[in-house]
PDB file of all heavy atoms in Angstrom:
ATOM      1  N   LYS A 185      72.420 -51.305 -39.351  1.00 98.00           N
ATOM      2  CA  LYS A 185      71.701 -51.108 -40.608  1.00 98.00           C
ATOM      3  C   LYS A 185      71.481 -52.435 -41.327  1.00 98.00           C
ATOM      4  O   LYS A 185      70.383 -52.702 -41.849  1.00 98.00           O
ATOM      5  CB  LYS A 185      72.479 -50.147 -41.504  1.00 98.00           C
ATOM      6  CG  LYS A 185      71.797 -49.849 -42.827  1.00 98.00           C
ATOM      7  CD  LYS A 185      72.616 -48.885 -43.669  1.00 98.00           C
ATOM      8  CE  LYS A 185      71.944 -48.623 -45.008  1.00 98.00           C
ATOM      9  NZ  LYS A 185      72.755 -47.707 -45.856  1.00 98.00           N
ATOM     10  N   LYS A 186      72.485 -53.278 -41.336  1.00 98.00           N
ATOM     11  CA  LYS A 186      72.386 -54.585 -41.997  1.00 98.00           C
ATOM     12  C   LYS A 186      71.294 -55.437 -41.348  1.00 98.00           C
ATOM     13  O   LYS A 186      70.477 -56.054 -42.049  1.00 98.00           O
ATOM     14  CB  LYS A 186      73.734 -55.302 -41.915  1.00 98.00           C
ATOM     15  CG  LYS A 186      73.749 -56.693 -42.539  1.00 98.00           C
ATOM     16  CD  LYS A 186      75.129 -57.320 -42.400  1.00 98.00           C
ATOM     17  CE  LYS A 186      75.140 -58.743 -42.939  1.00 98.00           C
ATOM     18  NZ  LYS A 186      76.489 -59.369 -42.767  1.00 98.00           N
ATOM     19  N   LEU A 187      71.268 -55.488 -40.025  1.00 98.00           N
ATOM     20  CA  LEU A 187      70.259 -56.278 -39.321  1.00 98.00           C
ATOM     21  C   LEU A 187      68.856 -55.735 -39.580  1.00 98.00           C
ATOM     22  O   LEU A 187      67.906 -56.501 -39.755  1.00 98.00           O
ATOM     23  CB  LEU A 187      70.551 -56.297 -37.824  1.00 98.00           C
ATOM     24  CG  LEU A 187      71.791 -57.091 -37.404  1.00 98.00           C
ATOM     25  CD1 LEU A 187      72.121 -56.830 -35.935  1.00 98.00           C
ATOM     26  CD2 LEU A 187      71.604 -58.583 -37.636  1.00 98.00           C
ATOM     27  N   GLN A 188      68.731 -54.424 -39.606  1.00 97.00           N
ATOM     28  CA  GLN A 188      67.426 -53.826 -39.872  1.00 97.00           C
ATOM     29  C   GLN A 188      66.958 -54.129 -41.297  1.00 97.00           C
ATOM     30  O   GLN A 188      65.776 -54.410 -41.520  1.00 97.00           O
ATOM     31  CB  GLN A 188      67.476 -52.321 -39.625  1.00 97.00           C
ATOM     32  CG  GLN A 188      67.618 -51.966 -38.149  1.00 97.00           C
ATOM     33  CD  GLN A 188      67.822 -50.488 -37.911  1.00 97.00           C
ATOM     34  OE1 GLN A 188      68.376 -49.782 -38.756  1.00 97.00           O
ATOM     35  NE2 GLN A 188      67.380 -50.002 -36.767  1.00 97.00           N
ATOM     36  N   GLU A 189      67.863 -54.089 -42.247  1.00 97.00           N
ATOM     37  CA  GLU A 189      67.512 -54.409 -43.628  1.00 97.00           C
ATOM     38  C   GLU A 189      67.069 -55.859 -43.760  1.00 97.00           C
ATOM     39  O   GLU A 189      66.229 -56.188 -44.590  1.00 97.00           O
ATOM     40  CB  GLU A 189      68.704 -54.130 -44.543  1.00 97.00           C
ATOM     41  CG  GLU A 189      68.981 -52.640 -44.745  1.00 97.00           C
ATOM     42  CD  GLU A 189      70.260 -52.391 -45.523  1.00 97.00           C
ATOM     43  OE1 GLU A 189      71.058 -53.351 -45.678  1.00 97.00           O
ATOM     44  OE2 GLU A 189      70.464 -51.236 -45.962  1.00 97.00           O
ATOM     45  N   GLN A 190      67.646 -56.715 -42.918  1.00 97.00           N
ATOM     46  CA  GLN A 190      67.272 -58.130 -42.913  1.00 97.00           C
ATOM     47  C   GLN A 190      66.030 -58.387 -42.049  1.00 97.00           C
ATOM     48  O   GLN A 190      65.612 -59.532 -41.904  1.00 97.00           O
ATOM     49  CB  GLN A 190      68.440 -58.970 -42.383  1.00 97.00           C
ATOM     50  CG  GLN A 190      69.667 -58.939 -43.271  1.00 97.00           C
ATOM     51  CD  GLN A 190      70.862 -59.649 -42.659  1.00 97.00           C
ATOM     52  OE1 GLN A 190      70.849 -60.004 -41.477  1.00 97.00           O
ATOM     53  NE2 GLN A 190      71.892 -59.862 -43.446  1.00 97.00           N
ATOM     54  N   LYS A 191      65.477 -57.298 -41.513  1.00 96.00           N
ATOM     55  CA  LYS A 191      64.284 -57.373 -40.649  1.00 96.00           C
ATOM     56  C   LYS A 191      64.513 -58.253 -39.422  1.00 96.00           C
ATOM     57  O   LYS A 191      63.625 -58.979 -38.974  1.00 96.00           O
ATOM     58  CB  LYS A 191      63.065 -57.845 -41.444  1.00 96.00           C
ATOM     59  CG  LYS A 191      62.718 -56.944 -42.614  1.00 96.00           C
ATOM     60  CD  LYS A 191      61.418 -57.305 -43.247  1.00 96.00           C
ATOM     61  CE  LYS A 191      61.120 -56.435 -44.472  1.00 96.00           C
ATOM     62  NZ  LYS A 191      61.124 -54.988 -44.162  1.00 96.00           N
ATOM     63  N   ARG A 192      65.734 -58.197 -38.881  1.00 97.00           N
ATOM     64  CA  ARG A 192      66.034 -58.883 -37.630  1.00 97.00           C
ATOM     65  C   ARG A 192      65.717 -57.952 -36.467  1.00 97.00           C
ATOM     66  O   ARG A 192      66.060 -56.772 -36.499  1.00 97.00           O
ATOM     67  CB  ARG A 192      67.512 -59.308 -37.566  1.00 97.00           C
ATOM     68  CG  ARG A 192      68.008 -60.042 -38.802  1.00 97.00           C
ATOM     69  CD  ARG A 192      67.099 -61.201 -39.203  1.00 97.00           C
ATOM     70  NE  ARG A 192      66.978 -62.210 -38.184  1.00 97.00           N
ATOM     71  CZ  ARG A 192      67.805 -63.255 -38.066  1.00 97.00           C
ATOM     72  NH1 ARG A 192      68.804 -63.417 -38.921  1.00 97.00           N
ATOM     73  NH2 ARG A 192      67.612 -64.141 -37.119  1.00 97.00           N
ATOM     74  N   LEU A 193      65.058 -58.482 -35.445  1.00 97.00           N
ATOM     75  CA  LEU A 193      64.634 -57.658 -34.319  1.00 97.00           C
ATOM     76  C   LEU A 193      65.799 -57.429 -33.354  1.00 97.00           C
ATOM     77  O   LEU A 193      66.199 -58.322 -32.604  1.00 97.00           O
ATOM     78  CB  LEU A 193      63.473 -58.321 -33.581  1.00 97.00           C
ATOM     79  CG  LEU A 193      62.940 -57.553 -32.368  1.00 97.00           C
ATOM     80  CD1 LEU A 193      62.414 -56.185 -32.773  1.00 97.00           C
ATOM     81  CD2 LEU A 193      61.861 -58.354 -31.646  1.00 97.00           C
ATOM     82  N   ILE A 194      66.339 -56.223 -33.364  1.00 98.00           N
ATOM     83  CA  ILE A 194      67.410 -55.849 -32.442  1.00 98.00           C
ATOM     84  C   ILE A 194      66.788 -55.561 -31.079  1.00 98.00           C
ATOM     85  O   ILE A 194      65.876 -54.746 -30.951  1.00 98.00           O
ATOM     86  CB  ILE A 194      68.165 -54.614 -32.954  1.00 98.00           C
ATOM     87  CG1 ILE A 194      68.841 -54.930 -34.297  1.00 98.00           C
ATOM     88  CG2 ILE A 194      69.191 -54.144 -31.923  1.00 98.00           C
ATOM     89  CD1 ILE A 194      69.441 -53.713 -34.975  1.00 98.00           C
ATOM     90  N   LYS A 195      67.281 -56.246 -30.050  1.00 97.00           N
ATOM     91  CA  LYS A 195      66.656 -56.071 -28.727  1.00 97.00           C
ATOM     92  C   LYS A 195      67.606 -55.577 -27.644  1.00 97.00           C
ATOM     93  O   LYS A 195      67.151 -55.144 -26.579  1.00 97.00           O
ATOM     94  CB  LYS A 195      66.013 -57.373 -28.279  1.00 97.00           C
ATOM     95  CG  LYS A 195      66.969 -58.541 -28.095  1.00 97.00           C
ATOM     96  CD  LYS A 195      66.204 -59.796 -27.686  1.00 97.00           C
ATOM     97  CE  LYS A 195      67.141 -60.953 -27.387  1.00 97.00           C
ATOM     98  NZ  LYS A 195      66.397 -62.170 -27.002  1.00 97.00           N
ATOM     99  N   TYR A 196      68.920 -55.623 -27.894  1.00 98.00           N
ATOM    100  CA  TYR A 196      69.829 -55.233 -26.824  1.00 98.00           C
ATOM    101  C   TYR A 196      71.203 -54.924 -27.411  1.00 98.00           C
ATOM    102  O   TYR A 196      71.648 -55.557 -28.375  1.00 98.00           O
ATOM    103  CB  TYR A 196      69.960 -56.367 -25.804  1.00 98.00           C
ATOM    104  CG  TYR A 196      70.753 -56.015 -24.567  1.00 98.00           C
ATOM    105  CD1 TYR A 196      70.165 -55.334 -23.505  1.00 98.00           C
ATOM    106  CD2 TYR A 196      72.094 -56.353 -24.461  1.00 98.00           C
ATOM    107  CE1 TYR A 196      70.880 -55.001 -22.375  1.00 98.00           C
ATOM    108  CE2 TYR A 196      72.823 -56.022 -23.335  1.00 98.00           C
ATOM    109  CZ  TYR A 196      72.223 -55.351 -22.293  1.00 98.00           C
ATOM    110  OH  TYR A 196      72.942 -55.020 -21.178  1.00 98.00           O
ATOM    111  N   PHE A 197      71.874 -53.943 -26.801  1.00 98.00           N
ATOM    112  CA  PHE A 197      73.238 -53.585 -27.200  1.00 98.00           C
ATOM    113  C   PHE A 197      74.074 -53.394 -25.943  1.00 98.00           C
ATOM    114  O   PHE A 197      73.591 -52.862 -24.940  1.00 98.00           O
ATOM    115  CB  PHE A 197      73.246 -52.294 -28.017  1.00 98.00           C
ATOM    116  CG  PHE A 197      74.625 -51.869 -28.442  1.00 98.00           C
ATOM    117  CD1 PHE A 197      75.134 -52.269 -29.670  1.00 98.00           C
ATOM    118  CD2 PHE A 197      75.416 -51.096 -27.610  1.00 98.00           C
ATOM    119  CE1 PHE A 197      76.417 -51.899 -30.054  1.00 98.00           C
ATOM    120  CE2 PHE A 197      76.697 -50.719 -27.978  1.00 98.00           C
ATOM    121  CZ  PHE A 197      77.200 -51.128 -29.216  1.00 98.00           C
ATOM    122  N   ALA A 198      75.340 -53.796 -26.006  1.00 98.00           N
ATOM    123  CA  ALA A 198      76.250 -53.560 -24.877  1.00 98.00           C
ATOM    124  C   ALA A 198      77.656 -53.275 -25.380  1.00 98.00           C
ATOM    125  O   ALA A 198      78.125 -53.894 -26.341  1.00 98.00           O
ATOM    126  CB  ALA A 198      76.282 -54.761 -23.931  1.00 98.00           C
ATOM    127  N   PHE A 199      78.304 -52.314 -24.740  1.00 98.00           N
ATOM    128  CA  PHE A 199      79.736 -52.098 -24.941  1.00 98.00           C
ATOM    129  C   PHE A 199      80.483 -53.018 -23.987  1.00 98.00           C
ATOM    130  O   PHE A 199      80.161 -53.085 -22.795  1.00 98.00           O
ATOM    131  CB  PHE A 199      80.122 -50.655 -24.610  1.00 98.00           C
ATOM    132  CG  PHE A 199      79.568 -49.627 -25.561  1.00 98.00           C
ATOM    133  CD1 PHE A 199      78.524 -48.798 -25.167  1.00 98.00           C
ATOM    134  CD2 PHE A 199      80.091 -49.493 -26.833  1.00 98.00           C
ATOM    135  CE1 PHE A 199      78.012 -47.844 -26.028  1.00 98.00           C
ATOM    136  CE2 PHE A 199      79.588 -48.534 -27.711  1.00 98.00           C
ATOM    137  CZ  PHE A 199      78.542 -47.714 -27.309  1.00 98.00           C
ATOM    138  N   SER A 200      81.482 -53.733 -24.493  1.00 95.00           N
ATOM    139  CA  SER A 200      82.356 -54.518 -23.626  1.00 95.00           C
ATOM    140  C   SER A 200      83.606 -53.695 -23.335  1.00 95.00           C
ATOM    141  O   SER A 200      83.690 -52.516 -23.693  1.00 95.00           O
ATOM    142  CB  SER A 200      82.731 -55.841 -24.288  1.00 95.00           C
ATOM    143  OG  SER A 200      83.516 -55.615 -25.448  1.00 95.00           O
ATOM    144  N   GLN A 201      84.581 -54.295 -22.715  1.00 90.00           N
ATOM    145  CA  GLN A 201      85.802 -53.571 -22.342  1.00 90.00           C
ATOM    146  C   GLN A 201      86.484 -52.954 -23.553  1.00 90.00           C
ATOM    147  O   GLN A 201      86.914 -51.800 -23.518  1.00 90.00           O
ATOM    148  CB  GLN A 201      86.763 -54.525 -21.623  1.00 90.00           C
ATOM    149  CG  GLN A 201      87.982 -53.838 -21.039  1.00 90.00           C
ATOM    150  CD  GLN A 201      88.862 -54.814 -20.299  1.00 90.00           C
ATOM    151  OE1 GLN A 201      88.512 -55.962 -20.096  1.00 90.00           O
ATOM    152  NE2 GLN A 201      90.014 -54.361 -19.878  1.00 90.00           N
ATOM    153  N   ILE A 202      86.562 -53.701 -24.642  1.00 93.00           N
ATOM    154  CA  ILE A 202      87.199 -53.178 -25.856  1.00 93.00           C
ATOM    155  C   ILE A 202      86.350 -53.388 -27.103  1.00 93.00           C
ATOM    156  O   ILE A 202      86.794 -53.064 -28.210  1.00 93.00           O
ATOM    157  CB  ILE A 202      88.585 -53.826 -26.086  1.00 93.00           C
ATOM    158  CG1 ILE A 202      88.454 -55.352 -26.182  1.00 93.00           C
ATOM    159  CG2 ILE A 202      89.558 -53.424 -24.988  1.00 93.00           C
ATOM    160  CD1 ILE A 202      89.764 -56.040 -26.570  1.00 93.00           C
ATOM    161  N   GLY A 203      85.154 -53.908 -26.943  1.00 96.00           N
ATOM    162  CA  GLY A 203      84.324 -54.209 -28.103  1.00 96.00           C
ATOM    163  C   GLY A 203      82.858 -53.926 -27.859  1.00 96.00           C
ATOM    164  O   GLY A 203      82.506 -53.027 -27.095  1.00 96.00           O
ATOM    165  N   TRP A 204      82.002 -54.734 -28.472  1.00 98.00           N
ATOM    166  CA  TRP A 204      80.562 -54.531 -28.360  1.00 98.00           C
ATOM    167  C   TRP A 204      79.819 -55.793 -28.783  1.00 98.00           C
ATOM    168  O   TRP A 204      80.393 -56.693 -29.391  1.00 98.00           O
ATOM    169  CB  TRP A 204      80.103 -53.360 -29.240  1.00 98.00           C
ATOM    170  CG  TRP A 204      80.586 -53.453 -30.667  1.00 98.00           C
ATOM    171  CD1 TRP A 204      81.729 -52.909 -31.189  1.00 98.00           C
ATOM    172  CD2 TRP A 204      79.944 -54.144 -31.752  1.00 98.00           C
ATOM    173  NE1 TRP A 204      81.846 -53.217 -32.518  1.00 98.00           N
ATOM    174  CE2 TRP A 204      80.758 -53.970 -32.908  1.00 98.00           C
ATOM    175  CE3 TRP A 204      78.777 -54.882 -31.874  1.00 98.00           C
ATOM    176  CZ2 TRP A 204      80.430 -54.510 -34.151  1.00 98.00           C
ATOM    177  CZ3 TRP A 204      78.439 -55.428 -33.123  1.00 98.00           C
ATOM    178  CH2 TRP A 204      79.270 -55.228 -34.230  1.00 98.00           C
ATOM    179  N   ILE A 205      78.529 -55.837 -28.445  1.00 98.00           N
ATOM    180  CA  ILE A 205      77.676 -56.949 -28.853  1.00 98.00           C
ATOM    181  C   ILE A 205      76.259 -56.440 -29.108  1.00 98.00           C
ATOM    182  O   ILE A 205      75.777 -55.557 -28.388  1.00 98.00           O
ATOM    183  CB  ILE A 205      77.670 -58.082 -27.808  1.00 98.00           C
ATOM    184  CG1 ILE A 205      76.860 -59.289 -28.315  1.00 98.00           C
ATOM    185  CG2 ILE A 205      77.145 -57.591 -26.469  1.00 98.00           C
ATOM    186  CD1 ILE A 205      77.013 -60.527 -27.453  1.00 98.00           C
ATOM    187  N   ILE A 206      75.620 -56.969 -30.130  1.00 98.00           N
ATOM    188  CA  ILE A 206      74.221 -56.717 -30.424  1.00 98.00           C
ATOM    189  C   ILE A 206      73.478 -58.046 -30.276  1.00 98.00           C
ATOM    190  O   ILE A 206      73.868 -59.041 -30.888  1.00 98.00           O
ATOM    191  CB  ILE A 206      74.020 -56.183 -31.858  1.00 98.00           C
ATOM    192  CG1 ILE A 206      74.809 -54.902 -32.085  1.00 98.00           C
ATOM    193  CG2 ILE A 206      72.528 -55.955 -32.136  1.00 98.00           C
ATOM    194  CD1 ILE A 206      74.832 -54.451 -33.538  1.00 98.00           C
ATOM    195  N   LEU A 207      72.419 -58.064 -29.477  1.00 98.00           N
ATOM    196  CA  LEU A 207      71.567 -59.245 -29.358  1.00 98.00           C
ATOM    197  C   LEU A 207      70.326 -59.027 -30.209  1.00 98.00           C
ATOM    198  O   LEU A 207      69.725 -57.949 -30.179  1.00 98.00           O
ATOM    199  CB  LEU A 207      71.155 -59.482 -27.912  1.00 98.00           C
ATOM    200  CG  LEU A 207      72.275 -59.756 -26.903  1.00 98.00           C
ATOM    201  CD1 LEU A 207      71.688 -59.949 -25.502  1.00 98.00           C
ATOM    202  CD2 LEU A 207      73.095 -60.969 -27.299  1.00 98.00           C
ATOM    203  N   TYR A 208      69.934 -60.053 -30.954  1.00 98.00           N
ATOM    204  CA  TYR A 208      68.722 -59.949 -31.766  1.00 98.00           C
ATOM    205  C   TYR A 208      68.067 -61.325 -31.876  1.00 98.00           C
ATOM    206  O   TYR A 208      68.686 -62.351 -31.599  1.00 98.00           O
ATOM    207  CB  TYR A 208      69.031 -59.367 -33.150  1.00 98.00           C
ATOM    208  CG  TYR A 208      70.020 -60.156 -33.982  1.00 98.00           C
ATOM    209  CD1 TYR A 208      69.579 -61.094 -34.902  1.00 98.00           C
ATOM    210  CD2 TYR A 208      71.390 -59.941 -33.859  1.00 98.00           C
ATOM    211  CE1 TYR A 208      70.484 -61.813 -35.672  1.00 98.00           C
ATOM    212  CE2 TYR A 208      72.294 -60.651 -34.626  1.00 98.00           C
ATOM    213  CZ  TYR A 208      71.835 -61.581 -35.534  1.00 98.00           C
ATOM    214  OH  TYR A 208      72.737 -62.298 -36.287  1.00 98.00           O
ATOM    215  N   GLY A 209      66.784 -61.311 -32.253  1.00 96.00           N
ATOM    216  CA  GLY A 209      66.052 -62.564 -32.290  1.00 96.00           C
ATOM    217  C   GLY A 209      65.975 -63.178 -30.899  1.00 96.00           C
ATOM    218  O   GLY A 209      65.962 -62.485 -29.879  1.00 96.00           O
ATOM    219  N   LYS A 210      65.914 -64.497 -30.858  1.00 97.00           N
ATOM    220  CA  LYS A 210      65.828 -65.189 -29.573  1.00 97.00           C
ATOM    221  C   LYS A 210      67.177 -65.268 -28.880  1.00 97.00           C
ATOM    222  O   LYS A 210      67.286 -64.974 -27.679  1.00 97.00           O
ATOM    223  CB  LYS A 210      65.272 -66.598 -29.771  1.00 97.00           C
ATOM    224  CG  LYS A 210      65.120 -67.381 -28.474  1.00 97.00           C
ATOM    225  CD  LYS A 210      64.486 -68.732 -28.700  1.00 97.00           C
ATOM    226  CE  LYS A 210      64.281 -69.464 -27.378  1.00 97.00           C
ATOM    227  NZ  LYS A 210      63.637 -70.785 -27.555  1.00 97.00           N
ATOM    228  N   ASN A 211      68.210 -65.649 -29.607  1.00 98.00           N
ATOM    229  CA  ASN A 211      69.529 -65.793 -28.983  1.00 98.00           C
ATOM    230  C   ASN A 211      70.674 -65.599 -29.972  1.00 98.00           C
ATOM    231  O   ASN A 211      71.757 -66.144 -29.783  1.00 98.00           O
ATOM    232  CB  ASN A 211      69.650 -67.147 -28.286  1.00 98.00           C
ATOM    233  CG  ASN A 211      69.340 -68.313 -29.215  1.00 98.00           C
ATOM    234  OD1 ASN A 211      69.472 -68.202 -30.442  1.00 98.00           O
ATOM    235  ND2 ASN A 211      68.929 -69.443 -28.658  1.00 98.00           N
ATOM    236  N   GLU A 212      70.420 -64.816 -31.009  1.00 98.00           N
ATOM    237  CA  GLU A 212      71.469 -64.542 -31.989  1.00 98.00           C
ATOM    238  C   GLU A 212      72.224 -63.277 -31.606  1.00 98.00           C
ATOM    239  O   GLU A 212      71.732 -62.443 -30.846  1.00 98.00           O
ATOM    240  CB  GLU A 212      70.851 -64.411 -33.380  1.00 98.00           C
ATOM    241  CG  GLU A 212      70.161 -65.682 -33.853  1.00 98.00           C
ATOM    242  CD  GLU A 212      69.468 -65.490 -35.183  1.00 98.00           C
ATOM    243  OE1 GLU A 212      68.302 -65.048 -35.157  1.00 98.00           O
ATOM    244  OE2 GLU A 212      70.086 -65.750 -36.227  1.00 98.00           O
ATOM    245  N   TYR A 213      73.404 -63.117 -32.164  1.00 98.00           N
ATOM    246  CA  TYR A 213      74.200 -61.949 -31.806  1.00 98.00           C
ATOM    247  C   TYR A 213      75.216 -61.612 -32.892  1.00 98.00           C
ATOM    248  O   TYR A 213      75.597 -62.455 -33.702  1.00 98.00           O
ATOM    249  CB  TYR A 213      74.937 -62.195 -30.491  1.00 98.00           C
ATOM    250  CG  TYR A 213      76.088 -63.180 -30.594  1.00 98.00           C
ATOM    251  CD1 TYR A 213      77.408 -62.733 -30.704  1.00 98.00           C
ATOM    252  CD2 TYR A 213      75.863 -64.554 -30.598  1.00 98.00           C
ATOM    253  CE1 TYR A 213      78.462 -63.631 -30.803  1.00 98.00           C
ATOM    254  CE2 TYR A 213      76.902 -65.456 -30.683  1.00 98.00           C
ATOM    255  CZ  TYR A 213      78.210 -64.991 -30.794  1.00 98.00           C
ATOM    256  OH  TYR A 213      79.254 -65.885 -30.898  1.00 98.00           O
ATOM    257  N   SER A 214      75.635 -60.356 -32.891  1.00 98.00           N
ATOM    258  CA  SER A 214      76.776 -59.879 -33.662  1.00 98.00           C
ATOM    259  C   SER A 214      77.697 -59.201 -32.667  1.00 98.00           C
ATOM    260  O   SER A 214      77.228 -58.498 -31.765  1.00 98.00           O
ATOM    261  CB  SER A 214      76.341 -58.890 -34.737  1.00 98.00           C
ATOM    262  OG  SER A 214      75.486 -59.494 -35.678  1.00 98.00           O
ATOM    263  N   ALA A 215      78.991 -59.390 -32.813  1.00 98.00           N
ATOM    264  CA  ALA A 215      79.909 -58.837 -31.814  1.00 98.00           C
ATOM    265  C   ALA A 215      81.276 -58.559 -32.414  1.00 98.00           C
ATOM    266  O   ALA A 215      81.636 -59.102 -33.470  1.00 98.00           O
ATOM    267  CB  ALA A 215      80.047 -59.799 -30.636  1.00 98.00           C
ATOM    268  N   ASP A 216      82.023 -57.740 -31.713  1.00 97.00           N
ATOM    269  CA  ASP A 216      83.403 -57.452 -32.082  1.00 97.00           C
ATOM    270  C   ASP A 216      84.237 -57.409 -30.809  1.00 97.00           C
ATOM    271  O   ASP A 216      83.839 -56.794 -29.808  1.00 97.00           O
ATOM    272  CB  ASP A 216      83.496 -56.115 -32.816  1.00 97.00           C
ATOM    273  CG  ASP A 216      84.921 -55.805 -33.271  1.00 97.00           C
ATOM    274  OD1 ASP A 216      85.490 -56.633 -34.003  1.00 97.00           O
ATOM    275  OD2 ASP A 216      85.451 -54.752 -32.883  1.00 97.00           O
ATOM    276  N   ASN A 217      85.376 -58.092 -30.837  1.00 96.00           N
ATOM    277  CA  ASN A 217      86.288 -58.132 -29.688  1.00 96.00           C
ATOM    278  C   ASN A 217      85.610 -58.629 -28.419  1.00 96.00           C
ATOM    279  O   ASN A 217      85.835 -58.116 -27.320  1.00 96.00           O
ATOM    280  CB  ASN A 217      86.904 -56.750 -29.431  1.00 96.00           C
ATOM    281  CG  ASN A 217      87.998 -56.415 -30.425  1.00 96.00           C
ATOM    282  OD1 ASN A 217      88.764 -57.286 -30.838  1.00 96.00           O
ATOM    283  ND2 ASN A 217      88.059 -55.164 -30.827  1.00 96.00           N
ATOM    284  N   LEU A 218      84.785 -59.650 -28.576  1.00 95.00           N
ATOM    285  CA  LEU A 218      84.166 -60.293 -27.423  1.00 95.00           C
ATOM    286  C   LEU A 218      85.152 -61.312 -26.860  1.00 95.00           C
ATOM    287  O   LEU A 218      85.815 -62.034 -27.616  1.00 95.00           O
ATOM    288  CB  LEU A 218      82.873 -60.990 -27.850  1.00 95.00           C
ATOM    289  CG  LEU A 218      81.846 -61.306 -26.769  1.00 95.00           C
ATOM    290  CD1 LEU A 218      81.335 -60.025 -26.132  1.00 95.00           C
ATOM    291  CD2 LEU A 218      80.696 -62.098 -27.369  1.00 95.00           C
ATOM    292  N   SER A 219      85.248 -61.399 -25.544  1.00 94.00           N
ATOM    293  CA  SER A 219      86.186 -62.351 -24.945  1.00 94.00           C
ATOM    294  C   SER A 219      85.773 -63.779 -25.292  1.00 94.00           C
ATOM    295  O   SER A 219      84.585 -64.070 -25.466  1.00 94.00           O
ATOM    296  CB  SER A 219      86.249 -62.170 -23.428  1.00 94.00           C
ATOM    297  OG  SER A 219      85.010 -62.482 -22.829  1.00 94.00           O
TER     298      SER A 219
END
Side-chain angles (χ1 to χ4, degrees):
K185 181 180 178 181
K186 178 180 176 182
L187 290 170
Q188 290 174 331
E189 288 173 346
Q190 295 174 349
K191 301 189 183 303
R192 311 309 299 271
L193 180 61
I194 297 172
K195 62 182 185 180
Y196 187 82
F197 179 92
F199 292 107
S200 65
Q201 187 178 352
I202 58 173
W204 51 268
I205 185 170
I206 302 171
L207 298 179
Y208 59 94
K210 181 176 183 179
N211 54 25
E212 298 176 273
Y213 72 99
S214 297
D216 182 57
N217 284 323
L218 200 63
S219 65

